[in-house]
Amino acid sequence: MNSLLKTGIALLALGQCALPVCAQQRMDQMWGEQQAKQTDTTTQRGHRFEWGNYAMFIHWGLFSHLANKWHGRTYYGIGEWMIDVNMANANRDEYKATAREFNPSEFDALKIAQLAKDAGMKYIIVTSKHHDGFAMFHSACDRFNIVDATPFGRDPMRELADACKQVGIGFGFYYSHNQDWTTPGAAGAPCVDYEGNPKTFDDYFKTKCLPQVEELTKNYGDIELIWFDTPGGIPQQYAEQLVDVVHKNQPKALVSGRVGYNLGDYQTLGDMEVPLENIDGLWESVDVTNDVWGYAWYDQNWKSPTQILQNLISTVARGGTYMLNVGPDQLGNVPEYAQRALRSAGKWIARYPQVIYGAQASPWRHALPWGDVVRQGNKLYLTVYEWPKTGKLYLPGLLTELRSAALLTEQKARKLSFSRTDDGWTVLELPCGQPDPMISVIELTCADEDIQVDNTIALDPEIGTNELSVHFAKADGASISKESWMEKFGEWKHAARTNDLYKGGKVTWEVMVKEPGTYHVELKVKGSGRQVWEIETDEGVLLHNQQGSSSIYTFRPMGWLRFDNPGKHTLTVRLTDGDRQNASLSAISLKPVLF
């Protein structure tokens, strides 16, 4: 029986809808061709990570049973931190006792594995032990685990490993190696045991951490990677031992960068972070389908299929892999809205697999006003998030000769007319209606694979808003840095900012303008009280205005600004008055004014 027929039978048994056969065959063929090229351990290691570009993260554990409630009160944020003082500050013994009630009786590993496959994901990483110390597998070295301490009495890690193998995707583990709040001696735990005997990190490491990593890497077949987390102040010798154990027992597996000391095989960015500019090397972005990692009873703020796809594509376009989290509930079910969004996004990926699998980063190294770009050899794939209403798509800075352009659909490609200007703009003629209700894809075939571009930030003359982060500006007498903050505990946001313009400095963007035109300009700022800002172009045009500010970044209108000539220009921003020491600038936006 072939794998496609097996998948179809399994889906019928589960009462789920499979991807269209033609789409599934196309995806299976691409995967098979890539697997056939892998002939040794070195090239096999990380293949699903580097080529697949998309994975499922699962945060599931004893915290899922609590669902962000403790003693009848709801705590907003990441529920896996309920023992932490920033959440419920839950008593450790009371927390451990809740394991007697944890019975995820509706857990079905095959359904979850099939969901990941339908979503277009190439492997699953699941929390085998989070910071609370509770093992979601049968561990011989510590009885605080789902088999020995709960009425469930089964090993869901074993079931997931088998299910992933059955549907043809990879499998791996998250493991909190430094923090373990319920095991004496570990980071965040008491330094004495229940009898008052002193315990050190070495005690925890030798009796629990290292033996459990040995179990995970020996007892569950081939795994894709071990995702360590929050290394904190773990001594380097322990991190090195963990890396050695993983590579010894699983030669084809990767180790995440969060093991510490740059010992990992790849870099993981901050939680919920998609970078603004390309990053070289192997790296991943980890994100959530709603606002939190583990299941929270109140959290219904789901990402739409289109939001998921935009984050995925933008991560791939920056050169990375996107791992998107789901948080099964106390019964073991992935919330229905998350399932629907993932499957819907997966159907889009099945229509355009070349946009994700094996795709390389954009030669522009940043997003474009209407969407983003990925590359496969001499082909560029333009993913259009905002479809032009005028029927013209403006692609700036492509210097390599363009052979052809086509609008991709599920049925066939539709040839597009295009023109090139002397100043580096390619203008594509598009149909008026957006062909794909989510994201439309245009394939450009270039004369050779050495694709050259001028990646100067370009202002689109027609698309809604050109938002320029200060990440792409040059600072003079000031500095530009990354700012990260939590809107709920554990819900991270990230931005580039300059917050020392009070010293009299300035920031300057270089921009490419296709034709003379007028733009409505706003600044994205935060601070306190009134702020006076000044914006000047190289043509001598000046905007000067006072606006209010608040504790969160908000766009504040500055006025209309005109460029009189096409070509490259500069935009310079200064802070001239007001509560200057608390002022922070994150971005400038320019919206075409169409007369």
Side-chain angles (χ1 to χ4, degrees):
M1 185 183 293
N2 64 45
S3 61
L4 185 61
L5 183 57
K6 287 181 181 177
T7 301
I9 293 173
L11 286 167
L12 288 173
L14 293 169
Q16 297 175 340
C17 296
L19 294 171
V21 172
C22 60
Q24 186 64 63
Q25 286 176 330
R26 186 161 68 246
M27 294 172 73
D28 287 346
Q29 180 184 3
M30 288 182 68
W31 179 249
E33 290 171 352
Q34 289 298 317
Q35 288 289 82
K37 295 177 183 178
Q38 311 306 307
T39 57
D40 57 54
T41 297
T42 302
T43 54
Q44 286 178 352
R45 177 185 287 180
H47 176 60
R48 281 190 171 97
F49 181 99
E50 186 173 14
W51 184 86
N53 284 332
Y54 190 28
M56 176 180 282
F57 213 178
I58 299 177
H59 273 64
W60 189 46
L62 191 53
F63 48 83
S64 308
H65 172 69
L66 300 174
N68 281 57
K69 281 188 175 182
W70 186 252
H71 290 178
R73 177 182 171 185
T74 294
Y75 291 84
Y76 298 91
I78 48 176
E80 58 272 24
W81 283 65
M82 294 297 276
I83 292 175
D84 189 83
V85 66
N86 292 293
M87 287 292 282
N89 197 22
N91 177 274
R92 289 173 174 81
D93 292 335
E94 284 187 69
Y95 184 92
K96 292 181 70 173
T98 62
R100 303 189 197 109
E101 306 164 1
F102 184 36
N103 186 18
S105 56
E106 296 178 10
F107 171 74
D108 188 323
L110 190 57
K111 282 185 177 181
I112 293 177
Q114 190 62 55
L115 170 63
K117 177 141 183 152
D118 291 348
M121 295 159 160
K122 290 303 179 186
Y123 56 91
I124 286 174
I125 303 300
V126 60
T127 49
S128 64
K129 187 204 77 168
H130 212 284
H131 308 327
D132 60 3
F134 181 73
M136 290 292 287
F137 62 100
H138 195 198
S139 175
C141 64
D142 189 277
R143 291 185 59 81
F144 189 43
N145 68 74
I146 193 168
V147 176
D148 295 322
T150 78
F152 185 63
R154 288 158 41 196
D155 186 338
M157 301 297 101
R158 164 61 57 200
E159 295 174 22
L160 271 173
D162 292 344
C164 287
K165 185 175 182 180
Q166 181 176 337
V167 304
I169 62 175
F171 179 68
F173 296 108
Y174 168 110
Y175 187 86
S176 176
H177 61 312
N178 182 47
Q179 296 195 89
D180 186 318
W181 302 326
T182 55
T183 302
C191 295
V192 295
D193 63 17
Y194 288 102
E195 286 75 40
N197 302 310
K199 293 294 178 180
T200 66
F201 188 88
D202 191 68
D203 295 322
Y204 152 72
F205 186 82
K206 289 179 177 177
T207 61
K208 183 175 182 180
C209 179
L210 188 61
Q212 286 193 336
V213 173
E214 290 271 11
E215 290 173 333
L216 294 171
T217 53
K218 287 181 176 179
N219 299 342
Y220 295 89
D222 293 338
I223 61 175
E224 292 298 314
L225 61 89
I226 295 285
W227 209 94
F228 294 107
D229 194 18
T230 61
I234 185 174
Q236 184 168 344
Q237 68 192 67
Y238 298 116
E240 290 173 345
Q241 289 183 62
L242 292 173
V243 172
D244 289 344
V245 164
V246 175
H247 285 163
K248 178 188 71 174
N249 295 339
Q250 295 281 342
K252 299 177 185 178
L254 296 173
V255 174
S256 74
R258 291 195 185 182
V259 70
Y261 299 98
N262 295 316
L263 295 171
D265 295 308
Y266 66 90
Q267 175 189 5
T268 299
L269 303 188
D271 292 355
M272 309 171 191
E273 179 181 12
V274 176
L276 296 169
E277 191 170 19
N278 290 14
I279 298 174
D280 297 328
L282 285 181
W283 61 272
E284 70 180 350
S285 174
V286 290
D287 202 0
V288 289
T289 45
N290 48 355
D291 285 342
V292 296
W293 300 97
Y295 175 73
W297 73 267
Y298 64 84
D299 190 355
Q300 300 295 322
N301 189 29
W302 303 103
K303 287 182 174 63
S304 70
T306 301
Q307 286 177 297
I308 290 171
L309 289 170
Q310 288 185 6
N311 284 3
L312 167 61
I313 294 166
S314 293
T315 300
V316 175
R318 305 286 76 77
T321 289
Y322 188 61
M323 187 157 67
L324 182 61
N325 182 76
V326 296
D329 62 20
Q330 54 268 75
L331 294 177
N333 295 308
V334 175
E336 181 63 26
Y337 281 131
Q339 292 190 47
R340 292 173 62 181
L342 289 174
R343 285 201 175 90
S344 181
K347 290 176 181 177
W348 185 95
I349 295 170
R351 294 196 291 274
Y352 315 104
Q354 65 272 51
V355 174
I356 306 300
Y357 306 128
Q360 298 168 293
S362 169
W364 280 266
R365 299 187 65 84
H366 55 73
L368 297 174
W370 38 258
D372 224 321
V373 181
V374 300
R375 183 171 73 87
Q376 295 260 15
N378 69 328
K379 294 184 183 295
L380 295 171
Y381 293 95
L382 315 186
T383 53
V384 186
Y385 303 163
E386 185 174 351
W387 193 255
K389 295 180 175 62
T390 62
K392 295 183 184 296
L393 185 80
Y394 297 92
L395 178 66
L398 178 60
L399 305 179
T400 301
E401 179 187 350
L402 183 60
R403 292 276 176 81
S404 65
L407 178 64
L408 300 186
T409 67
E410 192 168 9
Q411 291 75 31
K412 63 179 181 179
R414 174 179 173 180
K415 187 176 179 180
L416 297 176
S417 299
F418 62 89
S419 59
R420 306 287 298 276
T421 63
D422 293 338
D423 54 357
W425 290 81
T426 301
V427 184
L428 299 160
E429 302 293 334
L430 304 183
C432 290
Q434 180 174 336
D436 193 294
M438 290 186 185
I439 298 170
S440 296
V441 179
I442 297 168
E443 180 185 79
L444 304 184
T445 302
C446 297
D448 59 65
E449 294 189 14
D450 184 21
I451 299 174
Q452 299 295 315
V453 304
D454 179 344
N455 69 348
T456 303
I457 300 289
L459 301 184
D460 195 285
E462 295 180 3
I463 290 295
T465 301
N466 300 270
E467 182 176 333
L468 315 181
S469 167
V470 295
H471 174 83
F472 299 105
K474 291 183 179 179
D476 182 3
S479 60
I480 296 171
S481 60
K482 174 185 169 184
E483 180 179 10
S484 299
W485 67 97
M486 293 187 287
E487 299 206 346
K488 291 191 286 289
F489 184 70
E491 182 191 345
W492 286 97
K493 305 293 181 183
H494 310 272
R497 57 95 185 268
T498 177
N499 65 340
D500 56 359
L501 290 174
Y502 64 88
K503 298 176 181 178
K506 60 185 179 181
V507 291
T508 300
W509 287 267
E510 183 180 43
V511 296
M512 186 186 301
V513 175
K514 185 180 183 300
E515 55 195 30
T518 302
Y519 293 82
H520 175 72
V521 182
E522 296 184 338
L523 294 179
K524 193 174 187 179
V525 298
K526 73 173 184 177
S528 60
R530 303 283 177 184
Q531 300 170 352
V532 179
W533 296 92
E534 188 173 273
I535 305 171
E536 187 176 12
T537 75
D538 58 316
E539 294 181 316
V541 178
L542 186 70
L543 283 181
H544 188 93
N545 207 342
Q546 174 183 279
Q547 293 292 357
S549 64
S550 66
S551 60
I552 61 174
Y553 283 111
T554 307
F555 276 109
R556 304 288 180 173
M558 288 293 296
W560 287 16
L561 181 151
R562 178 173 173 79
F563 293 100
D564 291 321
N565 298 286
K568 292 185 178 180
H569 294 277
T570 59
L571 281 163
T572 298
V573 177
R574 300 177 182 86
L575 175 64
T576 64
D577 205 351
D579 187 352
R580 300 171 66 195
Q581 292 203 1
N582 291 314
S584 184
L585 170 67
S586 177
I588 185 172
S589 78
L590 298 96
K591 183 176 182 179
V593 179
L594 304 178
F595 294 98

